[in-house]
Amino acid sequence: MPTIDKPLAELQAYSGRNPRPADFDDYWDRALNEMRQTEPQIELVPSSFQTPAAECFDLYFTGVRGARIHVKYARPRQADTPRPAVLHFHGYSGNVGDWHERLGYVSLGFSVFAMDCRGQGGLSQDVGGVTGNTHHGHIIRGLDDQPDNLLFRHIFLDTA
């Protein structure tokens, strides 16, 4: 059985089966404008979990629609120069997990940001308020409502 069903050149140019909506750029411009107009109200709180090699913080900010979002932030101690970062997002219906899961990256000199996605497990707020199905999974939450109310739109904006 072949593992590839198209020639490589065709796969490299493939852009999916669904056409890009005509209002795609307008949609995301409007969404990013909403995000930029939201006062983030950032809080950086030292965590009770600390190690000799890593500083650990609970970072909170306000995302679109007023949801407070939680991020575990770990960085190397005594690192006074810019460093690369790892952005970690948990799997569907999970949360960011324990601090020790970040320490391998910190030991390599990375800062790590692990965000609790709203509407799933963890400490981030879910302000909800959509019309339609939420029973079979958050991935479709807002699908029966206005496009600006899609849950994953808000999660993408929290990430940005």
Side-chain angles (χ1 to χ4, degrees):
M1 172 176 262
T3 58
I4 299 175
D5 63 354
K6 295 181 184 288
L8 182 58
E10 192 175 333
L11 286 171
Q12 290 172 331
Y14 183 71
S15 61
R17 292 186 291 175
N18 297 321
R20 180 176 161 158
D23 65 345
F24 182 87
D25 290 329
D26 291 337
Y27 176 84
W28 285 108
D29 287 344
R30 189 173 62 252
L32 290 169
N33 187 48
E34 179 183 350
M35 179 196 72
R36 290 181 186 116
Q37 290 183 23
T38 301
E39 177 58 45
Q41 302 172 8
I42 296 168
E43 292 179 72
L44 190 62
V45 180
S47 172
S48 60
F49 179 86
Q50 300 291 326
T51 75
E55 291 183 283
C56 299
F57 300 90
D58 288 297
L59 184 149
Y60 297 90
F61 67 91
T62 300
V64 296
R65 311 289 165 96
R68 289 298 285 169
I69 306 301
H70 172 255
V71 177
K72 285 186 176 180
Y73 167 42
R75 66 184 182 205
R77 288 192 185 276
Q78 291 96 26
D80 55 359
T81 59
R83 60 194 146 277
V86 172
L87 305 178
H88 177 251
F89 304 96
H90 56 79
Y92 191 57
S93 75
N95 63 44
V96 297
D98 294 322
W99 284 104
H100 75 275
E101 297 174 42
R102 322 280 156 246
L103 299 180
Y105 293 110
V106 173
S107 73
L108 295 171
F110 290 86
S111 291
V112 182
F113 297 86
M115 185 177 81
D116 277 327
C117 295
R118 63 168 79 196
Q120 299 182 33
L123 300 177
S124 292
Q125 275 186 327
D126 180 12
V127 294
V130 299
T131 301
N133 186 356
T134 62
H135 177 70
H136 292 291
H138 294 303
I139 198 164
I140 63 167
R141 196 176 93 194
L143 197 59
D144 295 329
D145 206 328
Q146 298 298 314
D148 288 355
N149 290 337
L150 291 165
L151 173 67
F152 272 86
R153 172 194 183 265
H154 303 326
I155 292 171
F156 295 149
L157 293 173
D158 293 340
T159 303

